[in-house]
Amino acid sequence: MTKGTLLRNNPLLGALALAVLVAALTFTHFQGGLSMQLGEVLLSVQSQHEDGLVVSFVRAP
């Protein structure tokens, strides 16, 4: 096994993380905003006025 992050060494976990991100972006596009905590990381996605999205990852205390 080569050195690297867990997401690079296990393609299934990488695909799951990418699927969660895509689902969050899709939900936000239709609903206007989403915020969820994944372990110690807070994922916040907000809709902009000109069909844009602001994605922020914040380390939760």
Side-chain angles (χ1 to χ4, degrees):
M1 183 183 239
T2 62
K3 288 186 176 182
T5 64
L6 182 62
L7 294 179
R8 283 188 179 173
N9 289 338
N10 192 339
L12 184 61
L13 284 178
L16 179 63
L18 187 60
V20 167
L21 182 62
V22 168
L25 292 176
T26 303
F27 181 79
T28 301
H29 181 69
F30 292 116
Q31 298 297 326
L34 176 72
S35 180
M36 66 177 136
Q37 187 169 349
L38 306 167
E40 292 185 4
V41 177
L42 178 69
L43 169 65
S44 176
V45 184
Q46 299 298 322
S47 182
Q48 288 291 320
H49 298 290
E50 295 86 24
D51 284 339
L53 293 175
V54 175
V55 179
S56 60
F57 294 94
V58 179
R59 188 173 169 203

